[in-house]
Amino acid sequence: MSSGLDPYIFTTDNLPSDPRFLPPLANGLLGWRVFNSVLHMGGVYNGEGGHCHRADVPCPVAVKAEMVDAVHHIYSLNTNTGIFTHTLTSANGTASQSLYCHRFYPNIMVMEVLLERQATSDQPVSVNLVSSFTPQSKDIVFETGPGYKGGSYILGQTSTAEFPGESCPSVHLIWTPVPSTLVLPPEQSQGRWGFILVVANSLDSAQSSFDEALGLMATGDLRPSHEKAWKELWLQSKVEVSGSDDLNKALIGCMFYLLSAFPSIHDDSRSFGGVSPGGLSNGGDGQDYWGHVFWDQDIWMYPGIALFYPKLARAVLEYRVGTVDGAKDNAQKQGYKGLKFPWESAVSGREVCPEDIYGQQEIHINGDVMLAFQHYLHLTEDLSMFKEGRGSEVVYGVADYWVSRVKWNPDDQMYHLLGVMPPDEYYYNVNNSVYTNVVAKLSLQFAVELADLLQDAAPKEWQEVAERIKIPFDQESQYHPEFDGYTKGHPVKQADTVLLGYPLGLPMPPEVRRNDLTMYEQVTDPNGPAMTWGMFAIGWLELGEAEKAQLLLEKCFKNIQGPFQVWSESSDGSGAVNFLTGMGGFLQAVLFGYTGLRVQRNCLTFSPLLPNDINELCLRGMNYLGSKMDWLLRKEEVCIILREQAHSADTFHLQIVLKESGMKIPLTPGQPVTFPRQPGSICKVESATSCWPF
């Protein structure tokens, strides 16, 4: 990209030939791919069990603007504002069609049309609005209701509940009708039209949102209130690099699409339905994993968001808390105690995977969920999530599951996990998946830690199993086999064993870390899912090999399709879109790879290392213990600014500890602290007065 262009605006003269790569617009409740005839609403699924999928909702603003004599088209996605614009230019005038999902009022979608006359023309300027909308859905039986304040109204229910006995969700739509043509008469230089769509789960909510939208439109605040919400969101996070325009643009796209999948930072409804691999815009019947929530949310997408937005991080945990009853049912059906989170989740927490083997065997999901809870506690010290928020119920329930699921092996005097599928789904019914066993160990250790913190009694079995669970290791080759009986050189689908170093943080000598990376890099499927290479990059950055890391990270660029930075699951364009999982892995490679940042109990550790072609990394709004920091990483120095302190300086302050000298540098709001980068040396940010003891 040319240096003079705004990297936050993705612009093209031609739309992608594959409509899957049109830009998705979403706000945490509604999701839509521009021009598509259907949209989705968070938490609205149709179908029982493995047939459950996001219900298609017809979209009245599925409209394409056309001008008979248009000579030029520009399509633009402004990620600063979350607005997609199609601009058509003719000899007589210009038409601009703008589309957005309102960032503050989540039930509202908007289409705006602006017609402007060319100065030399005295002819009417017209634009045709070609609609693909029909008030029907294969998932929802709609009926027409009485109009409301000039708006059309339909209502319906999905045809099949997620499980027997559960009620089917309702969907209500009110929208301002869209004419087939808009005309700017000769006596006017410009004209504006606004069209509102409201989608809600009750008539009262739909009417209330429609009233809100009409009021905002009347005062001219509809679009400004949306733009203000996006501006506020971006002020709390920034991830930018200098030295590579392509990398910078990719990072902006990742942050934009991930943030679009989450609710407003002002949303207190606690109705968040989780994040699926393709986001809210995708996930219909047979598409993009049916819109289900996987480990992708907790392991791949969550960490990059949690670093800036603790409230959005908490929303992920609250989603899992809301599925506890289903997780309990899953465990009981498998014959175990505690909680078994589904491999594929919708609303209830019951297993909705179409193929039973994944739900039965890919049990590492329990440990993945626990990592998010642990990460949150260490990042925020927010005990309310674990008390009133019922987080402890989740943590203890998972620990009970692991204790009931392991088998004692008298031969090696270790606990084993038998008959599992690792993250590498090329293998199943294996014993002692190294990833699964390590996350089980970490889950149990965290349960003991939390029980001690909350002064709850922890069953002795939690600690006993954590200490004695088998972690496969090949002493002769000094590497971690993926599972018992794994043959070196056999193909691997995706990042699996390499995740032991990050994000699991399993202690190991550098030689072992290098052996794991080298061995598995050679056999990892080059057409595997997009998040893999970011994890390899983090591993090589840990070992100080920035250029090798960068070469692996750049493989991800093959997954970025078309002008709007939409990701595909596979590099050939196949698989799920818009693949938020891959974006999350890519983002982590920069946030946790270039910085060396690790969220630890009682501190953040960091050891920055930038590749040769990256001059600078700027992170704005990192949130630790409620305090906000800006980090500027350069080749030879690090600058950290405490932008906002969470508590009074009399009772709380953060400090930087430099490992080489042991020097402690207090962070004072507004005062930059700059110090030389120390290659290979781990520094830390800590609270000099922790809110609670560890």
Side-chain angles (χ1 to χ4, degrees):
M1 170 169 284
S2 301
S3 58
L5 299 179
D6 187 340
Y8 284 78
I9 300 176
F10 307 154
T11 299
T12 182
D13 295 338
N14 297 290
L15 291 176
S17 58
D18 187 337
R20 296 183 308 141
F21 302 131
L22 287 169
L25 300 175
N27 61 12
L29 179 66
L30 304 180
W32 179 58
R33 193 170 64 239
V34 298
F35 304 138
N36 196 14
S37 61
V38 299
L39 61 88
H40 298 120
M41 183 177 185
V44 178
Y45 292 85
N46 186 44
E48 181 182 334
H51 298 285
C52 168
H53 57 274
R54 289 201 191 280
D56 285 352
V57 178
C59 183
V61 294
V63 171
K64 288 187 176 181
E66 295 181 357
M67 298 179 83
V68 175
D69 55 349
V71 294
H72 188 52
H73 296 262
I74 298 176
Y75 305 91
S76 177
L77 175 65
N78 188 334
T79 64
N80 284 304
T81 61
I83 297 175
F84 175 83
T85 302
H86 173 204
T87 302
L88 309 84
T89 303
S90 72
N92 293 329
T94 299
S96 297
Q97 175 196 23
S98 297
L99 303 160
Y100 54 95
C101 290
H102 205 286
R103 182 67 264 194
F104 189 85
Y105 300 100
N107 298 92
I108 299 173
M109 289 177 60
V110 181
M111 178 178 76
E112 298 172 345
V113 178
L114 169 66
L115 289 182
E116 295 178 289
R117 175 179 309 286
Q118 297 284 11
T120 56
S121 171
D122 59 359
Q123 298 297 312
V125 180
S126 65
V127 61
N128 296 323
L129 302 178
V130 182
S131 174
S132 60
F133 166 70
T134 57
Q136 299 170 345
S137 166
K138 61 184 178 60
D139 296 309
I140 303 168
V141 179
F142 279 106
E143 60 182 83
T144 301
Y148 182 74
K149 295 186 178 179
S152 301
Y153 170 53
I154 59 174
L155 67 156
Q157 276 188 316
T158 60
S159 58
T160 309
E162 184 182 327
F163 64 95
E166 178 71 351
S167 61
C168 293
S170 299
V171 180
H172 298 253
L173 278 72
I174 303 176
W175 71 95
T176 48
V178 179
S180 59
T181 304
L182 295 174
V183 179
L184 180 68
E187 65 272 16
Q188 293 183 14
S189 61
Q190 69 171 226
R192 296 178 184 271
W193 293 262
F195 303 92
I196 303 164
L197 165 64
V198 162
V199 186
N201 55 18
S202 72
L203 176 58
D204 286 347
S205 176
Q207 290 179 342
S208 175
S209 294
F210 196 71
D211 289 343
E212 187 77 56
L214 289 176
L216 290 166
M217 182 176 284
T219 60
D221 290 329
L222 185 58
R223 183 168 179 152
S225 61
H226 165 77
E227 294 179 341
K228 178 183 176 182
W230 265 110
K231 182 178 180 180
E232 183 182 15
L233 205 56
W234 281 120
L235 283 173
Q236 296 190 33
S237 69
K238 179 179 181 180
V239 184
E240 294 181 359
V241 297
S242 63
S244 170
D245 290 340
D246 288 341
L247 176 57
N248 194 49
K249 191 174 181 180
L251 291 169
I252 291 168
C254 289
M255 282 298 293
F256 171 74
Y257 287 123
L258 283 166
L259 285 172
S260 297
F262 283 83
S264 164
I265 53 177
H266 300 289
D267 183 6
D268 295 315
S269 67
R270 298 190 176 180
S271 59
F272 178 53
V275 187
S276 57
L280 273 167
S281 304
N282 302 300
D285 191 8
Q287 301 171 347
D288 305 297
Y289 298 106
W290 291 264
H292 296 164
V293 178
F294 292 71
W295 75 315
D296 305 48
Q297 170 188 257
D298 311 85
I299 290 291
W300 299 100
M301 306 171 200
Y302 168 90
I305 295 298
L307 201 56
F308 301 96
Y309 303 96
K311 185 170 182 178
L312 300 184
R314 180 164 175 153
V316 169
L317 308 192
E318 289 172 343
Y319 166 75
R320 291 298 186 183
V321 169
T323 63
V324 158
D325 289 344
K328 189 177 298 182
D329 184 67
N330 297 334
Q332 290 173 352
K333 285 179 177 176
Q334 290 188 2
Y336 301 113
K337 298 178 181 179
L339 305 176
K340 163 59 176 67
F341 284 97
W343 177 239
E344 299 189 27
S345 180
V347 176
S348 72
R350 289 166 173 80
E351 185 62 67
V352 292
C353 182
E355 297 180 63
D356 187 59
I357 190 171
Y358 296 94
Q360 291 290 332
Q361 295 195 10
E362 208 149 355
I363 60 174
H364 65 81
I365 180 65
N366 263 14
D368 306 326
V369 171
M370 283 308 93
L371 280 177
F373 276 78
Q374 179 177 325
H375 184 99
Y376 179 81
L377 180 61
H378 293 170
L379 198 56
T380 67
E381 294 187 354
D382 174 17
L383 288 178
S384 69
M385 179 65 230
F386 296 85
K387 294 178 179 178
E388 300 87 348
R390 297 174 57 200
S392 61
E393 182 181 343
V394 172
V395 175
Y396 299 163
V398 168
D400 288 338
Y401 175 84
W402 289 126
V403 168
S404 69
R405 181 66 169 77
V406 295
K407 299 292 183 183
W408 177 253
N409 186 301
D411 295 334
D412 61 8
Q413 296 289 293
M414 303 291 285
Y415 288 100
H416 290 206
L417 282 170
L418 308 178
V420 304
M421 180 184 290
D424 173 13
E425 294 169 329
Y426 285 170
Y427 304 93
Y428 58 92
N429 206 31
V430 302
N431 298 333
N432 296 313
S433 150
V434 67
Y435 177 89
T436 305
N437 287 24
V438 171
V439 290
K441 180 185 183 77
L442 295 175
S443 300
L444 290 160
Q445 290 174 334
F446 179 53
V448 172
E449 172 189 317
L450 183 65
D452 182 57
L453 188 62
L454 300 181
Q455 298 184 328
D456 293 332
K460 66 180 189 318
E461 292 85 1
W462 291 357
Q463 186 66 41
E464 178 185 332
V465 174
E467 291 175 352
R468 301 295 299 172
I469 194 168
K470 179 180 180 181
I471 308 299
F473 184 69
D474 186 322
Q475 289 286 352
E476 181 179 347
S477 298
Q478 288 292 294
Y479 90 109
H480 292 95
E482 193 173 273
F483 49 83
D484 283 354
Y486 172 77
T487 303
K488 283 205 306 185
H490 279 204
V492 167
K493 176 185 178 183
Q494 63 186 56
D496 184 313
T497 306
V498 298
L499 301 176
L500 300 184
Y502 175 87
L504 303 194
L506 181 70
M508 67 183 80
E511 175 197 2
V512 174
R513 182 73 160 130
R514 182 180 299 276
N515 290 344
D516 284 350
L517 291 165
T518 301
M519 207 285 292
Y520 289 106
E521 181 186 331
Q522 296 170 354
V523 297
T524 297
D525 189 339
N527 295 315
M531 65 279 193
T532 290
W533 300 114
M535 296 302 104
F536 277 97
I538 291 176
W540 288 113
L541 284 161
E542 284 179 355
L543 297 174
E545 298 199 25
E547 300 316 305
K548 183 170 180 59
Q550 194 70 354
L551 287 174
L552 291 169
L553 185 61
E554 287 173 356
K555 287 188 176 187
C556 296
F557 287 124
K558 296 178 181 177
N559 297 80
I560 302 175
Q561 309 294 338
F564 301 113
Q565 300 292 301
V566 173
W567 282 55
S568 60
E569 182 176 11
S570 299
S571 58
D572 62 1
S574 63
V577 295
N578 183 24
F579 195 51
L580 299 177
T581 312
M583 296 186 202
F586 186 81
L587 189 61
Q588 287 186 61
V590 173
L591 291 176
F592 298 94
Y594 287 0
T595 64
L597 186 69
R598 300 292 182 269
V599 179
Q600 308 280 7
R601 189 172 68 177
N602 271 337
C603 68
L604 300 177
T605 61
F606 60 97
S607 180
L609 180 61
L610 298 180
N612 288 337
D613 61 341
I614 303 301
N615 303 319
E616 189 175 275
L617 169 63
C618 177
L619 305 176
R620 181 176 65 198
M622 287 173 52
N623 199 309
Y624 179 54
L625 305 183
S627 295
K628 296 178 182 178
M629 297 177 288
D630 298 342
W631 289 32
L632 187 63
L633 309 182
R634 298 190 179 98
K635 296 291 188 186
E636 303 300 331
E637 66 179 17
V638 178
C639 178
I640 298 178
I641 304 173
L642 181 61
R643 195 204 312 175
E644 184 179 311
Q645 186 159 287
H647 308 280
S648 166
D650 295 334
T651 59
F652 172 89
H653 72 264
L654 295 176
Q655 62 187 13
I656 301 168
V657 181
L658 305 182
K659 182 177 180 181
E660 290 292 308
S661 62
M663 181 185 297
K664 296 182 179 180
I665 309 171
L667 285 169
T668 303
Q671 296 185 12
V673 173
T674 303
F675 50 93
R677 187 182 73 84
Q678 301 168 331
S681 178
I682 297 176
C683 304
K684 64 182 178 180
V685 174
E686 65 180 12
S687 168
T689 51
S690 182
C691 299
W692 34 264
F694 255 137

